[in-house]
Amino acid sequence: MPKVRVHNVTVSLDGFMAGPNQRLDAPFGDGVGWGDELHAWFVGAMEDLAAGKGGTDVEYFARGDRNIGATIMGRNMFGPQRGAWEDESWQGWWGDNPPYHHDVFVHTHHPRPTLEMAGGTTFHFTDESPDQVLGRAFAAADGKDVRIGGGAATIRQYLSAGLIDELHLAVAPMLIGRGERLLDDLGAGIDGYRVSELVGSSTVTHAVLVRR
Amino acid sequence: MPKVRVHNVTVSLDGFMAGPNQRLDAPFGDGVGWGDELHAWFVGAMEDLAAGKGGTDVEYFARGDRNIGATIMGRNMFGPQRGAWEDESWQGWWGDNPPYHHDVFVHTHHPRPTLEMAGGTTFHFTDESPDQVLGRAFAAADGKDVRIGGGAATIRQYLSAGLIDELHLAVAPMLIGRGERLLDDLGAGIDGYRVSELVGSSTVTHAVLVRR
C-alpha cells in the first residue's frame, strides 16, 4: 500500500525547524539562513550525491526522492506571503522548473488557479482537509507514495492526525532557542509513533519515526 | 578556573527529560520507568564501566564523575514530595550511602537541617539564589568543578542565567510527547551556548553544549 512519508526535515538540537519571523528575505526566520549551520548537511549531501559520492547523509538524503508520486505542503512552504494573495505572480521558491516533477498540493485558506510549471510540476491550491487532500494526492501519485514536504505546521497537522507512515528528520548540532518546533503539541497523535532509527553521521544525527 | 558542569542528562528525541505527573512511584512521570528505554544507555554504561569495558557511552558516562567536588540539585530530584516537608525522614532516592561522596546543595523553598549521610555525602537544603548556592558549592568543591545534577527545571534555571559552562546530554531513540522539556523557555540565555559535540553511539546520540 502506498505510504505517506516525510524526509530530510532538519531540526536544531533543541527541536526547531525555523526561528521566529519567517519572511521573504529570511525563509527560515531570524538567525537561520538557508545553507547555514542548520542545513549544511543537506547541501553537502546534495553535492556529494551529484558527485557520485556515498555516505550516511547521502543515503538518507536520497531516500527522500525514491518512489514519490505527489507532494503536499503548507502555504508557508510555498511562499512567504500570508493572508489573501496580493497578486498571483509568486510561483514558489524554486524557479521555473521546480524539483518536484509531479503534482504538488498546497494547503491554503486562499485557493488560486492551478499552476503548471516546466518539468512536470503542477501546483494545486486547496482549502480541503488533510484527509481530502491526501485522497487527491494518492490518486495523483498513481500507486507511488505521497510526501509531505513541510513546513513544521503542516507536518504536525498530519502527524497529530496519525496520517504519516514514516518521518525522517536530521538533528543538527546547533541551537535556535525559539521559533517553530516540529515535535510539539501533537496530542495523543505522537503516542502512535516510535523511533525506528537513530544514526549519527559526521554532521548530524538522523532519526526515523514510524508507526508503533 | 573551576567549572559548572552537567552530565548524563537523558532526553527523548522530542526533548523531554520526564513525562507528566512525576511522583514517588513514577519519578520520571507517566510512561517513563527508570532503566527503561530512556535510560537504558545509562544503565548499560554503568554496567560496562563496572565490567571494565569501553565505548562511546562509557566515555561520556565516566566524564560526569571526573573532578567534581560538589553537586547542586533541585528539590524534585532529591525526592517526590512537594510543598512543606510532611516529615524529614526522606533522605533522597539513593539509600544510606549516596553516590555523591561530597557536599550536595538542594534548592528548596522549605529548608530543613543539614543531613550527613554515610560515605561523605552531606545534603544542604537552601532557599538561596543560584548565584549564592554556586558560591557555597565552589567553596565546598575546593578547586574542583561543581555539577548541576538536575532536574530539568534546575538545569534550565542555571542555563538561562548563563551559569553553566558545559552540558552533556544524551538523546534517546524514544518519544515522550509531553512533560518536562530540558531545552525550552531559556530566553536569551540559550544564545550564549553552542553545540560543541554531536556523536552517535549504538544506543543514543551524545551532545555537548558549551559557551559561545
Side-chain angles (χ1 to χ4, degrees):
Chain A
M1 235 179 75
K3 290 182 173 181
V4 180
R5 293 158 44 196
V6 183
H7 289 270
N8 297 321
V9 170
T10 312
V11 299
S12 60
L13 180 64
D14 50 350
F16 295 97
M17 270 181 73
N21 303 317
Q22 291 174 258
R23 58 193 185 276
L24 181 57
D25 64 349
F28 290 92
D30 291 342
V32 185
W34 167 251
D36 281 2
E37 231 179 332
L38 188 65
H39 302 103
W41 81 272
F42 185 91
V43 174
M46 273 200 297
E47 290 169 356
D48 284 354
L49 184 65
K53 294 185 200 163
T56 302
D57 290 348
V58 170
E59 280 167 38
Y60 276 99
F61 173 80
R63 273 194 207 176
D65 283 325
R66 262 179 231 139
N67 197 42
I68 299 292
T71 295
I72 295 170
M73 64 175 63
R75 193 265 180 83
N76 295 358
M77 182 162 168
F78 179 72
Q81 296 174 49
R82 303 291 182 265
W85 302 97
E86 287 163 38
D87 64 72
E88 294 178 359
S89 63
W90 177 266
Q91 302 196 325
W93 300 100
W94 306 276
D96 289 340
N97 186 352
Y100 296 102
H101 316 298
H102 53 224
D103 288 281
V104 177
F105 297 85
V106 180
H107 278 285
T108 170
H109 295 302
H110 304 277
R112 49 181 261 192
T114 292
L115 192 59
E116 290 192 28
M117 308 292 289
T121 297
T122 301
F123 291 110
H124 305 274
F125 302 87
T126 171
D127 59 356
E128 293 169 301
S129 71
D131 270 321
Q132 289 172 306
V133 173
L134 208 47
R136 291 177 62 191
F138 272 129
D142 196 22
K144 291 188 175 180
D145 294 344
V146 170
R147 180 174 52 199
I148 312 291
T154 302
I155 297 172
R156 274 206 308 277
Q157 190 177 15
Y158 280 80
L159 203 54
S160 60
L163 295 171
I164 291 174
D165 293 295
E166 185 184 336
L167 189 161
H168 159 241
L169 58 91
V171 180
M174 71 173 293
L175 302 162
I176 294 181
R178 57 199 71 78
E180 196 163 21
R181 233 183 198 125
L182 180 67
L183 300 177
D184 201 22
D185 287 330
L186 293 165
I190 194 66
D191 302 332
Y193 291 89
R194 65 181 175 88
V195 180
S196 63
E197 300 175 37
L198 187 76
V199 176
S201 76
S202 60
T203 57
V204 293
T205 289
H206 297 278
V208 177
L209 273 60
V210 297
R211 293 178 197 284
R212 273 183 197 282
Chain B
M1 236 179 75
K3 289 182 173 178
V4 180
R5 293 158 44 197
V6 183
H7 288 270
N8 297 321
V9 168
T10 311
V11 298
S12 61
L13 180 64
D14 50 349
F16 296 97
M17 269 181 71
N21 304 316
Q22 291 173 259
R23 59 194 184 276
L24 181 57
D25 63 349
F28 289 90
D30 291 342
V32 185
W34 168 250
D36 280 1
E37 232 179 330
L38 187 64
H39 302 104
W41 82 272
F42 185 92
V43 174
M46 274 200 298
E47 290 170 355
D48 284 354
L49 184 66
K53 293 185 200 163
T56 302
D57 290 348
V58 170
E59 280 167 38
Y60 276 100
F61 173 80
R63 274 195 207 176
D65 283 325
R66 264 179 229 137
N67 196 42
I68 299 291
T71 294
I72 295 170
M73 64 175 63
R75 193 264 181 84
N76 296 359
M77 182 162 167
F78 180 73
Q81 296 174 49
R82 303 291 180 263
W85 302 98
E86 286 163 40
D87 63 73
E88 294 177 359
S89 63
W90 177 267
Q91 302 195 325
W93 301 101
W94 306 276
D96 289 339
N97 186 351
Y100 296 102
H101 316 299
H102 53 225
D103 288 281
V104 176
F105 297 85
V106 181
H107 278 284
T108 170
H109 296 300
H110 305 278
R112 50 181 262 192
T114 293
L115 192 59
E116 290 192 29
M117 308 292 288
T121 297
T122 301
F123 290 110
H124 305 273
F125 301 87
T126 170
D127 59 356
E128 293 169 300
S129 71
D131 269 323
Q132 290 172 305
V133 173
L134 208 47
R136 290 177 63 190
F138 272 130
D142 195 22
K144 291 188 174 178
D145 293 343
V146 170
R147 180 173 53 200
I148 311 291
T154 302
I155 297 172
R156 273 206 309 277
Q157 190 177 16
Y158 279 80
L159 203 54
S160 60
L163 294 172
I164 291 172
D165 293 294
E166 185 184 335
L167 189 161
H168 159 242
L169 58 91
V171 180
M174 71 173 292
L175 302 162
I176 293 181
R178 57 198 71 78
E180 195 163 22
R181 234 183 197 125
L182 180 66
L183 300 178
D184 201 21
D185 287 330
L186 293 166
I190 195 67
D191 301 332
Y193 291 89
R194 65 181 175 86
V195 180
S196 63
E197 299 174 39
L198 187 75
V199 176
S201 76
S202 61
T203 57
V204 292
T205 288
H206 297 278
V208 176
L209 274 59
V210 296
R211 293 178 198 285
R212 271 183 198 282

